[in-house]
Amino acid sequence: MIIEPKTRGFICLTSHPVGCEQNVLSQIDYIKSNPTTNGPKKVLVIGASTGFGLASRITSAYGSNASTIGVFFEKPPTEGRPASPGWYNSAAFETQAHKDGLYAKSINGDAFSNEIKAQTLKLIQDDLGKIDMVIYSLASPVRTHPDTGERFKSVLKPIGETFTNNTVDFHTGVVKEISIEPCSGDDIDNTIAVMGGEDWKMWIDLLKSADVLSEDFKTVAYSYIGPSLTEAVYRKGTIGRAKDHLEATAFEITDSLKDINGKGYVSVNKALVTQASSAIPVIPLYISLLYKVMKEEGIHEGCIEQIERLFNERLYAEDLQLDAEGRIRIDDWEMRDDIQAKVLELWKEATTETLPNIGDLDGYKTDFFNLFGFNVDGVDYDKDVNEMVAIPGLQ
Ligand code: NAI
Ligand code: NA
């Protein structure tokens, strides 16, 4: 079939297998030319199909020849209906990994459930024995608690006061003010239940009790801080409470792994266009200004460059450069004073008329469509493609 982008609000309903494949191959090439010395060898990535998790899987596999198991929640294709992009990304990754003689298998299902955890544990026991790293990179709006069956929904709201600021509809380029009412009821607790650290700890507890974590094991989850501009809705909002919980969980995990000298870390990453971040109000306007400034300074990075730097200059360089809260910071370039000062200046000037010049709205849009395999260089979109692509290592 011929597949075209079909957008609805902040999501794209279609995705292109060849474009997704091209994205994955480009990331593989980047890592092949930036390998990791003494990198991980047997890695589980939870949330492995898109964004930072996919980049972590590729960095592990191609940076240090790691065997990888990927867990994700993606929609398979049906005749005439393309799969979700993470499906095609995983198909492309595993096809290439197998060609290159790398072990790569995957499990598609709800990582929050006991069933998927048990299935993953069995696969580790059968195929890998012990693993030396777990990357935890889930981004989800909902979680069904595995023990109680309660279904939690996360919300992106300020706490205490209404938040009013500008945002951009990146499809139309229209900049306008929005107001977000403060959270109420159980919003904070529900958001913590979905995006906090409980599920991460459940995974590690299970794997530890089954004795499949090797000596010096590491696990890393991803967090975000961001600028004062977005603070009320992000870091000091409901999602920020969940990130506080996730960050506190890293210390609990480290405590629970003392006998194997294991460590739990949080890495604070840069703001990037992903399916998760494009749904957050105000962030798209911030990102389009940030991209402009960081590209001008020659320090713009995507997911793969970020994770390559996390592995090569922090995790496996024996140089974690932890901040006062014990976090790894690869948002260091985003948060540089000169970068933030420039973004703040531009923010004051940003209108529908000025944004095309002062911001990188094109870069935002390109990245957004790239997530779904569209607007990718070198792909012929007029060519008929087979949507029924299989993931070769799917269990
Ligand atoms: P993403 O949307 O690209 O990836 C989410 C992954 O989670 C996908 O592999 C998806 O299949 C998987 N997933 C979602 N629900 C699942 C479920 N129930 N079971 C199994 N897999 C499931 O998201 P992104 O942006 O890569 O986010 C990953 C982490 O990085 C999140 O914790 C996010 O807060 C954090 N982060 C994101 C930043 C950004 O700007 N995008 C910046 C800093 C941190
Ligand atoms: Na991810």
Side-chain angles (χ1 to χ4, degrees):
M1 66 187 289
I2 305 283
I3 308 174
E4 288 174 342
K6 224 186 264 169
T7 57
R8 188 175 298 157
F10 304 116
I11 54 168
C12 182
L13 301 170
T14 51
S15 72
H16 200 279
V18 180
C20 289
E21 177 185 38
Q22 189 51 54
N23 286 336
V24 167
L25 296 177
S26 304
Q27 293 193 39
I28 289 175
D29 279 345
Y30 182 77
I31 295 302
K32 276 182 170 171
S33 36
N34 295 279
T36 311
T37 308
N38 300 321
K41 289 290 174 208
K42 293 179 182 180
V43 179
L44 168 64
V45 182
I46 303 162
S49 52
T50 56
F52 286 110
L54 173 65
S56 304
R57 189 177 197 189
I58 292 173
T59 304
S60 302
Y62 283 90
S64 54
N65 295 313
S67 300
T68 59
I69 293 175
V71 177
F72 44 77
F73 208 1
E74 300 293 343
K75 190 167 61 72
T78 52
E79 292 289 344
R81 235 170 182 247
S84 56
W87 179 277
Y88 291 135
N89 291 340
S90 301
F93 170 78
E94 291 188 9
T95 301
Q96 190 59 41
H98 294 179
K99 272 188 203 160
D100 294 327
L102 290 165
Y103 172 99
K105 289 189 183 175
S106 53
I107 291 176
N108 188 36
D110 182 6
F112 297 128
S113 70
N114 290 329
E115 293 72 23
I116 290 295
K117 287 185 177 74
Q119 200 190 334
T120 307
L121 171 60
K122 178 150 196 317
L123 185 60
I124 293 169
Q125 287 169 326
D126 289 349
D127 289 6
L128 300 181
K130 291 194 180 195
I131 56 178
D132 52 41
M133 164 125 99
V134 171
I135 296 287
Y136 189 82
S137 187
L138 293 184
S140 174
V142 290
R143 171 174 174 230
T144 301
H145 197 283
D147 300 332
T148 64
E150 194 177 348
R151 191 172 159 84
F152 299 103
K153 281 179 82 171
S154 73
V155 301
L156 291 156
K157 288 187 180 170
I159 298 171
E161 280 171 57
T162 302
F163 172 77
T164 303
N165 212 324
N166 280 344
T167 191
V168 64
D169 176 332
F170 59 88
H171 293 300
T172 60
V174 173
V175 176
K176 63 164 200 250
E177 201 174 81
I178 51 148
S179 285
I180 310 168
E181 293 296 309
C183 66
S184 59
D186 295 332
D187 283 348
I188 296 175
D189 287 345
N190 291 348
T191 305
I192 292 173
V194 180
M195 288 298 284
E198 186 186 24
D199 181 64
W200 182 25
K201 181 87 170 31
M202 283 179 162
W203 272 99
I204 302 303
D205 285 349
L206 175 74
L207 300 173
K208 173 73 166 55
S209 68
D211 197 23
V212 296
L213 305 181
S214 66
E215 196 69 22
D216 301 327
F217 165 83
K218 293 189 212 322
T219 182
V220 185
Y222 298 137
S223 189
Y224 183 63
I225 297 177
S228 53
L229 279 170
T230 59
E231 206 166 54
V233 72
Y234 195 94
R235 192 64 207 210
K236 291 193 175 157
T238 48
I239 182 72
R241 291 293 177 86
K243 291 302 188 188
D244 291 343
H245 187 273
L246 183 80
E247 291 173 13
T249 304
F251 297 106
E252 280 181 37
I253 288 177
T254 297
D255 281 344
S256 75
L257 299 176
K258 283 223 157 69
D259 59 322
I260 56 166
N261 192 36
K263 295 280 190 311
Y265 297 114
V266 159
S267 170
V268 182
N269 299 354
K270 175 199 185 197
L272 280 171
V273 181
T274 64
Q275 292 181 77
S277 70
S278 43
I280 309 178
V282 192
I283 299 276
L285 179 57
Y286 170 69
I287 290 185
S288 53
L289 299 173
L290 180 74
Y291 273 27
K292 180 82 167 188
V293 174
M294 292 187 83
K295 284 179 184 177
E296 272 171 10
E297 292 291 320
I299 54 170
H300 176 71
E301 297 173 297
C303 288
I304 197 69
E305 290 85 1
Q306 278 267 291
I307 301 302
E308 183 270 329
R309 208 153 60 84
L310 171 65
F311 279 45
N312 292 347
E313 295 182 21
R314 302 287 192 278
L315 283 176
Y316 294 95
E318 315 269 339
D319 185 18
L320 295 167
Q321 302 174 38
L322 301 179
D323 69 9
E325 272 72 44
R327 302 171 294 208
I328 299 172
R329 302 296 296 266
I330 51 168
D331 65 338
D332 48 348
W333 297 348
E334 168 183 357
M335 298 309 284
R336 254 169 47 181
D337 289 345
D338 60 324
I339 300 294
Q340 285 300 321
K342 282 183 188 160
V343 172
L344 197 60
E345 274 314 300
L346 294 174
W347 187 275
K348 292 177 193 154
E349 297 165 23
T351 62
T352 306
E353 291 69 39
T354 59
L355 190 61
N357 293 319
I358 67 167
D360 186 23
L361 201 55
D362 284 343
Y364 192 104
K365 276 194 221 173
T366 301
D367 276 14
F368 178 79
F369 284 106
N370 282 352
L371 295 175
F372 303 90
F374 297 111
N375 295 15
V376 177
D377 286 342
V379 176
D380 180 358
Y381 291 99
D382 296 329
K383 221 173 126 185
D384 217 30
V385 291
N386 176 16
E387 71 280 16
M388 299 303 289
V389 178
I391 301 177
L394 188 68
Q395 297 306 290

